[in-house]
Amino acid sequence: HHGFHRVAGLSEPVSVAVAGGVAGALAWGGNLPLDCVKSGIQGQHLDDGGADGKRTRVGAVESARRVMARGGLGGFYSGATPSLTRAFLVSGSRFAAFTSGMAVFEGLK
């Protein structure tokens, strides 16, 4: 974030929050496809028997195939807007709080 506030025309505290928010949203955005596959695995009804009465469990590869069949590549980013908005807000506020806290502790030296 150093120098970012000058380039972006933002105050130092706001630039810290924006930098943290962008970093958090990018990190979460990279993990959304895996989270989507994980949610498909977690959402299984394990007590359901199939036509033959056997329980079938879906692993990660089959869960990914089902997401792709249902929504294409975009299916891996289902619900991205609220997730990324939350990641931006939470990460930005945490980064700003951490940076402010460190500044306070540095002043105590």
Side-chain angles (χ1 to χ4, degrees):
H1 77 279
H2 299 289
F4 174 65
H5 69 283
R6 286 189 295 275
V7 174
L10 301 171
S11 68
E12 176 89 23
V14 172
S15 71
V16 168
V18 169
V22 169
L26 286 173
W28 190 246
N31 287 314
L32 275 173
L34 294 174
D35 190 61
C36 187
V37 171
K38 174 208 50 113
S39 295
I41 294 168
Q42 287 178 329
Q44 297 179 69
H45 295 285
L46 298 179
D47 58 345
D48 287 357
D52 58 1
K54 294 182 181 175
R55 293 181 182 175
T56 55
R57 294 185 181 176
V58 174
V61 173
E62 182 57 29
S63 178
R65 283 187 186 131
R66 289 180 181 187
V67 170
M68 182 64 109
R70 192 171 53 247
L73 286 176
F76 289 99
Y77 290 91
S78 177
T81 300
S83 294
L84 296 179
T85 301
R86 178 191 171 282
F88 180 86
L89 294 172
V90 170
S91 297
S93 63
R94 285 184 174 178
F95 197 70
F98 175 81
T99 304
S100 298
M102 290 303 293
V104 168
F105 288 123
E106 288 293 322
L108 296 176
K109 284 186 177 179

